[in-house]
Amino acid sequence: MTDRGERENQSRGHARDDRPFRKRPAGGSGQRDGQRRFSREGRSERPGTDSARRDRGGQPRFQDRRPPRDRDAADDRPRDPRLPDEVEPTDLPDEARRDLLALDKTSSDLVARHLVMATQLLDEDPMLALEHARAARRRASRIAVVRETGGIAAYYAGEWAEALNELRTARRIGGGPGMIAVMADCERGLGRPEKALEMARSAEARALTGEAAIELRIVAAGARMDLEQFDAAVVTLQGPDLDNAREGDAAARLCYAYAEALLAAGRRDEALEWFFRSSQADPEATDAEERAIELSEAHTD
């Protein structure tokens, strides 16, 4: 019989990959690959920078005569990430573009392009996506779609506190339940699984249906795992939608989360079955097939 310590070791390294809205880990606060890329690439030289002030012989062309205080303030201002020329404001969905009508056209177009980039880069480069979302926020901080996009980008980047703040603000501006599953998962990321469970029991949570309800159950089960309540995590995920899970991204992630909970609860054979079910539902959604193979090989050893 597998004891608790072995069960934790079996699931460790995968327990935090059950984020409902991302398919692979995006890194946390200490991971700044996207930020480093922006610091090296994509910035056009502007008057006042060192390279713009020097001629080919390396001598200054002119002196920066701003007072030191003004110069420091200008240098400290965040710089926007570069926008590719091919990205157009019309690439943003019409509903989101309508929310930007309160801005003048120049600002609206610029914000729209940053929102497009923030959305496109979520999986590929979440930190750079967040930089684009922040650039949009600096110009349109009172628009719900801007704050919600910023919250999702921060979530993918592992910036839990910022994500939670942005999504709460989006709810205050736009009304409605907002993205409660993502908000609950941010509470998990901040080390507050009890808060996540509290949100999962709220009236708003009970009103959710379909995939939104599934996402929140996955988060709630993850919170139970955080608290080492493995059997409770298994029960949290059980229901008609699990029994009827057949194919698609949501079914794959629900089966995967159930397999993780079973494994942590010491039910290895059942976990193996559900990892395979997850892979059959959507082989691209998770690494379920790899997990199943690892589990099978570990058992034969």
Side-chain angles (χ1 to χ4, degrees):
M1 190 72 176
T2 306
D3 64 19
R4 173 184 284 183
E6 290 174 342
R7 293 198 300 267
E8 290 177 10
N9 288 334
Q10 285 177 333
S11 63
R12 199 182 308 277
H14 299 276
R16 300 304 290 161
D17 291 356
D18 56 353
R19 300 292 178 200
F21 293 94
R22 75 180 189 215
K23 296 183 177 63
R24 52 184 174 273
S29 300
Q31 192 171 6
R32 292 288 187 270
D33 291 343
Q35 222 170 33
R36 285 199 295 270
R37 181 179 296 113
F38 171 54
S39 68
R40 293 195 299 265
E41 302 170 3
R43 291 181 180 173
S44 59
E45 296 295 354
R46 13 166 233 164
T49 60
D50 288 342
S51 56
R53 286 200 298 267
R54 296 180 182 276
D55 60 20
R56 293 183 181 178
Q59 299 301 316
R61 291 179 180 172
F62 58 87
Q63 293 181 346
D64 189 342
R65 299 189 182 279
R66 291 174 297 170
R69 181 177 301 174
D70 293 344
R71 189 159 59 238
D72 292 343
D75 292 342
D76 287 343
R77 283 198 300 266
R79 298 181 181 180
D80 292 347
R82 185 181 64 85
L83 285 165
D85 293 339
E86 63 271 19
V87 174
E88 298 288 345
T90 51
D91 294 335
L92 193 69
D94 290 342
E95 183 178 356
R97 288 181 62 204
R98 283 194 292 271
D99 289 345
L100 304 180
L101 291 177
L103 305 173
D104 63 80
K105 187 177 187 310
T106 300
S107 297
S108 174
D109 287 353
L110 186 58
V111 168
R113 294 174 70 202
H114 278 299
L115 293 180
V116 170
M117 290 301 297
T119 303
Q120 290 180 352
L121 289 167
L122 284 176
D123 282 317
E124 174 188 342
D125 193 337
M127 280 308 304
L128 186 54
L130 181 55
E131 291 299 324
H132 280 285
R134 287 169 175 169
R137 183 181 66 202
R138 286 193 287 272
R139 293 169 174 81
S141 62
R142 297 183 180 181
I143 296 178
V145 68
V146 173
R147 304 305 290 265
E148 184 173 284
T149 303
I152 296 300
Y155 173 80
Y156 271 67
E159 299 288 354
W160 316 124
E162 181 175 354
L164 194 56
N165 179 68
E166 291 301 289
L167 293 173
R168 282 173 174 165
T169 302
R171 279 177 22 133
R172 286 197 299 270
I173 296 172
M179 308 193 76
I180 189 170
V182 183
M183 295 172 66
D185 207 30
C186 288
E187 294 286 7
R188 285 184 63 204
L190 291 168
R192 301 191 295 241
E194 296 89 350
K195 282 278 190 181
L197 291 172
E198 184 180 323
M199 294 178 73
R201 292 190 293 263
S202 68
E204 289 177 338
R206 291 194 295 271
L208 295 177
T209 59
E211 287 193 20
I214 291 175
E215 304 296 356
L216 187 54
R217 279 172 55 207
I218 292 174
V219 173
R224 293 292 184 190
M225 298 271 282
D226 296 341
L227 295 168
E228 300 183 4
Q229 299 172 0
F230 305 123
D231 292 329
V234 171
V235 173
T236 298
L237 292 165
Q238 291 173 342
D241 46 6
L242 178 65
D243 297 335
N244 299 326
R246 293 292 180 269
E247 60 183 20
D249 182 85
R253 285 181 288 113
L254 179 59
C255 293
Y256 188 96
Y258 191 54
E260 285 282 14
L262 289 167
L263 184 60
R267 297 160 64 175
R268 192 201 69 85
D269 292 342
E270 293 173 84
L272 182 60
E273 175 190 346
W274 284 94
F275 277 130
F276 277 124
R277 287 201 192 187
S278 175
S279 178
Q280 290 167 358
D282 187 340
E284 301 298 324
T286 70
D287 64 346
E289 185 175 359
E290 297 172 21
R291 297 296 314 284
I293 293 172
E294 289 174 5
L295 203 54
S296 298
E297 291 176 346
H299 183 63
T300 56
D301 291 344

